[in-house]
Amino acid sequence: MPFGNTHNNFKLNYKVEEEYPDLTKHNNHMAKVLTKELYGKLRDKQTPSGFTVDDVIQTGVDNPGHPFIMTVGCVAGDEESYEVFKDLFDPVISDRHGGYKPSDKHKTDLNFENLKGGDDLDPNYVLSSRVRTGRSIKGLTLPPHTSRGERRLIERLSVEALTSLDGEFKGKYYPLKSMTDAEQEQLINDHFLFDKPVSPLLTCAGMARDWPDARGIWHNDNKTFLVWVNEEDHLRVISMQQGGNMREVFRRFCVGLQRIEEIFKKHNHGFMWNEHLGYILTCPSNLGTGLRGGVHVKLPKLSTHPKFEEILTRLRLQKRGTGGVDTASVGGVFDISNADRLGSSEVEQVQLVVDGVKLMIEMEKKLEKGEAIDSMIPAQK
Amino acid sequence: MATSFTRMMSGRNTAVVLASIGAGTLASGYLLSDSAAAAERKRAYPPSADFPDLRKHNNCMASALTPTIYAHLRDKTTPNNWTLDQCIQTGVDNPGHPFIKTVGMVAGDEESYEVFAELFDPVIKDRHNGYDPRTMKHPTDLDASKITSGMFDERYVLSSRVRTGRSIRGLSLPPACTRSERREVERVVVTALSGLKGDLAGRYYSLGEMSEREQQQLIDEHFLFDKPVSPLLTAAGMARDWPDARGIWHNNEKNFLIWINEEDHTRIISMEKGGNMKRVFERFCRGLKQVEQLIQERGWEFMWNERLGYILTCPSNLGTGLRAGVHIRLPFLSRDPRFKKILENLRLQKRGTGGVDTAATGDTFDISNLDRLGKSEVELVQLVVDGVNYLTECEKRLERGQDIKIPSPVPQFRK
């Protein structure tokens, strides 16, 4: 329940042009799509839980964006948002996800055995491997919209499901608000702890409300499987380990996810999913697989090569700094991950990472020897 | 009362009529209710499930909010559909500091103070030294001629300033307002200001359309306000749609200045270098009265009632909304261990010269009145005048090696 927007019916007393936001200086997907006419068409609608178009777009209005970085500029408050406001979300999704059409179907494939290779990325270059995704619990609203009661229910359901896991997944939950200093220190050192969001992209969408109420971190005893509760999505599921065995990371990811889903289903709380959009998450950029599979890899020579960006684009990969999104690389080490989320399956996306990173390491080795790499540059995948 | 006829009246007219006859709670029944599914969702989460965890909190809202009050108020809305959760969100998100007690809640509209009185009243009492809105009346007095000894020693006082806020009746406040309401506030106020003449004549600078040069000029003059970064304000939704419909108006002489749509609909500031507080206050009162007349000519008025005085977003600014102060150099006095107590007894507070939450630079302090509600504008400014004169006396005595005395405390409310 973001601000000023629950009095939607009251707002209808004012004309469309009076209420239409000033998007002239904006550069985000929502601003490109939302004309006055479209706003007029959508502004008297609400999802069953009361989420309105102004709730959807507030983060995009408050954050005009950057001339070089195109943010999404809109969020969903519940599963039905994508349906009730499809006239806004469909073109945004198409723009963000490479032309994905309203009639397209998304393939889900969490069968790790379909992945080819991936267990032999050179550990001299690949420091760590990680796969993450998000899941939303069906029937409950999403972080921009949840009330405290709902968020606590999400926490309760999640903790119940997670603490019933056993074997390699046996672990423990650490609620953010009652964590001891020692636990907090440990989680920071393990690079597990998430902090109250400071990015205005998230805070303007109301996702930091009531912090740290009902937020927490669960991880297995081996510290290789980790779940964030009530951060940007209901659940963020992460599988990670040092070194280059992406295959193992992905295996654990798939198995763990399926176990968790089974438990939720048993209690009549499946995950939000449909065959058009795949897994439903708060930000449209994470629809489909919601999957970001990547490595921290040393590419000091390749990263300074003039064709680096183009190589990444052709391989359908993206680079980030080792601090995550919006950070710069340190010492030639990059976070390389899949760029796509919607329109290809989990296996396909991780395959792209595995194959792409392997190729880039070969290129790095060539550059080390002073050889050219032009013949190795791939065609667009 | 609750008929579709009232709904069909224009937004402003309806709101003005309802507000001025105090029909806030009656009117809330006439609103289109939530859809059946949303209502069911509410029932699925009883108030106890939604009650915020305030155990680590130190603000007035957290001290006053009990599960019982929350249960009474959670499902109520003002005529603009503003809820209790929205009032308190800023206090939930900002637990506060063990030493600084913030207020922890805001109003979304004039009716908030009525619909959620069960929580606002104890918060107001806590913040305003026992002022009880149920039984007491707030005096308004903008007759600057009553001020005596309002000229300070300029060897110590560098500048003098008086500020307050005003809200336009019938339009929601910054935490709640829609874009169109905010634009309406801008239109109403800018139109009125263009009618000011003589030493008050000036012009408007819209934040969104300002040129680089204008922006730099306003920064250099210490006039420009920026997008709020304090989480106390952003968590209350006051920075939404920035910089849409925000701006600054000032007169040609640059000593009368109005901020539009920052933390309140309007913030009105009169200031000048030097120690002539009486003149600053005189211009303040004159300007305020003229602006009020100009908006009344067009059928608008300020939010005011005799329990709470001028209605503003933050309960801490109710009453006069007035902060009168000086920038003053007190090198000896500020080092004296009795400084704090002297200020306390004079009902004054110190801030750094950057405003609230800043530290003093060198020996220069911002000294202003602590109180807002329960005393009139004239009383508060006189209090500042007397207090600053006393501080200057203390400074001079300490310079001469003489001792100073802690003054007896200023009495609280009129009997």
Side-chain angles (χ1 to χ4, degrees), chain B residues 301-313:
Chain B
E301 53 183 8
F302 292 141
M303 288 184 198
W304 180 93
N305 69 48
E306 58 176 10
R307 292 188 310 126
L308 298 175
Y310 288 101
I311 305 292
L312 295 172
T313 305

Side-chain angles (χ1 to χ4, degrees), chain A residues 3-4 6-7 10-11 14 18-20 25 39 54 58 61-62 147-150 152 177 209-210, chain B residues 41 45 49-51 53 56 70 80-81 85-86 89 93 176 178-180 183 187 208 240-241:
Chain A
F3 298 95
T6 53
H7 50 216
F10 163 73
K11 260 188 281 180
Y14 293 90
E18 292 290 291
E19 280 296 335
Y20 181 64
K25 297 202 176 90
Y39 181 73
D54 277 318
Q58 191 66 55
V61 176
D62 288 346
S147 66
R148 281 179 291 272
E150 219 170 1
R152 291 163 181 169
K177 71 177 171 184
R209 284 172 304 124
D210 314 314
Chain B
R41 215 177 127 242
Y45 298 96
D50 268 330
F51 187 71
D53 182 350
K56 294 203 176 93
Y70 186 73
N80 303 322
N81 250 352
D85 278 320
Q86 288 167 308
Q89 191 68 58
D93 288 347
T178 69
R179 278 180 291 273
S180 56
R183 291 163 182 170
R187 257 198 309 278
R240 286 173 302 124
D241 313 314

Side-chain angles (χ1 to χ4, degrees), chain B residues 42-318:
Chain B
K42 245 194 233 170
R43 277 195 291 279
Y45 298 96
S48 53
D50 268 330
F51 187 71
D53 182 350
L54 301 171
R55 289 171 297 173
K56 294 203 176 93
H57 287 59
N58 182 43
N59 57 52
C60 299
M61 179 277 292
S63 301
L65 185 67
T66 64
T68 311
I69 295 177
Y70 186 73
H72 285 168
L73 299 180
R74 186 193 71 159
D75 296 332
K76 291 198 161 60
T77 59
T78 67
N80 303 322
N81 250 352
W82 188 248
T83 65
L84 180 75
D85 278 320
Q86 288 167 308
C87 286
I88 67 174
Q89 191 68 58
T90 178
V92 177
D93 288 347
N94 297 293
H97 193 273
F99 304 154
I100 304 168
K101 198 166 190 186
T102 43
V103 176
M105 66 188 300
V106 292
D109 50 20
E110 188 165 8
E111 295 82 354
S112 297
Y113 287 107
E114 195 57 47
V115 175
F116 307 116
E118 206 179 335
L119 180 59
F120 271 110
D121 285 351
V123 165
I124 288 168
K125 213 167 176 191
D126 189 3
R127 179 61 178 214
H128 294 283
N129 306 297
Y131 183 87
D132 185 351
R134 293 289 121 202
T135 58
M136 294 161 80
K137 292 213 197 325
H138 169 79
T140 292
D141 184 356
L142 285 159
D143 182 357
S145 67
K146 293 179 181 162
I147 300 296
T148 60
S149 315
M151 180 69 216
F152 300 128
D153 187 332
E154 290 180 343
R155 287 172 296 170
Y156 301 90
V157 173
L158 308 174
S159 60
S160 310
R161 179 184 187 269
V162 180
R163 71 86 160 147
T164 189
R166 290 289 186 265
S167 310
I168 309 292
R169 175 160 278 163
L171 297 168
S172 309
L173 296 170
C177 64
T178 69
R179 278 180 291 273
S180 56
E181 277 181 302
R182 205 186 291 114
R183 291 163 182 170
E184 180 107 67
V185 168
E186 188 188 34
R187 257 198 309 278
V188 169
V189 177
V190 172
T191 309
L193 294 172
S194 64
L196 289 175
K197 300 187 177 27
D199 69 322
L200 294 178
R203 72 161 269 211
Y204 181 62
Y205 301 83
S206 145
L207 236 59
E209 282 148 39
M210 180 170 299
S211 69
E212 290 276 340
R213 230 175 39 99
E214 287 168 338
Q215 188 172 301
Q216 194 52 52
Q217 181 73 33
L218 289 166
I219 290 173
D220 293 338
E221 285 159 348
H222 304 286
F223 283 177
L224 191 64
F225 64 91
D226 226 342
K227 177 171 180 173
V229 292
S230 164
L232 300 177
L233 299 184
T234 54
M238 297 195 226
R240 286 173 302 124
D241 313 314
W242 204 274
D244 198 313
R246 271 83 168 193
I248 292 169
W249 181 98
H250 70 74
N251 66 349
N252 299 327
E253 322 242 332
K254 298 187 182 173
N255 51 26
F256 189 66
L257 159 70
I258 298 179
W259 290 352
I260 294 177
N261 285 319
E262 193 235 9
E263 185 184 331
D264 280 295
H265 284 175
T266 63
R267 282 288 177 96
I268 294 117
I269 300 150
S270 169
M271 62 201 249
E272 59 184 65
K273 291 236 179 291
N276 198 339
M277 180 58 94
K278 179 154 176 147
R279 186 166 62 201
V280 167
F281 187 52
E282 182 275 323
R283 186 172 51 245
F284 175 84
C285 295
R286 192 161 42 89
L288 265 176
K289 290 205 193 92
Q290 286 187 28
V291 172
E292 181 158 25
Q293 203 173 334
L294 288 161
I295 65 166
Q296 277 168 346
E297 277 168 15
R298 285 175 175 75
W300 296 92
E301 53 183 8
F302 292 141
M303 288 184 198
W304 180 93
N305 69 48
E306 58 176 10
R307 292 188 310 126
L308 298 175
Y310 288 101
I311 305 292
L312 295 172
T313 305
C314 181
S316 69
N317 282 321
L318 289 166

Side-chain angles (χ1 to χ4, degrees), chain B residues 10-59:
Chain B
S10 82
R12 170 175 72 81
N13 290 341
T14 313
V16 171
V17 165
L18 292 174
S20 49
I21 64 178
T25 31
L26 290 172
S28 63
Y30 89 157
L31 275 188
L32 300 171
S33 57
D34 293 335
S35 69
E40 237 198 69
R41 215 177 127 242
K42 245 194 233 170
R43 277 195 291 279
Y45 298 96
S48 53
D50 268 330
F51 187 71
D53 182 350
L54 301 171
R55 289 171 297 173
K56 294 203 176 93
H57 287 59
N58 182 43
N59 57 52

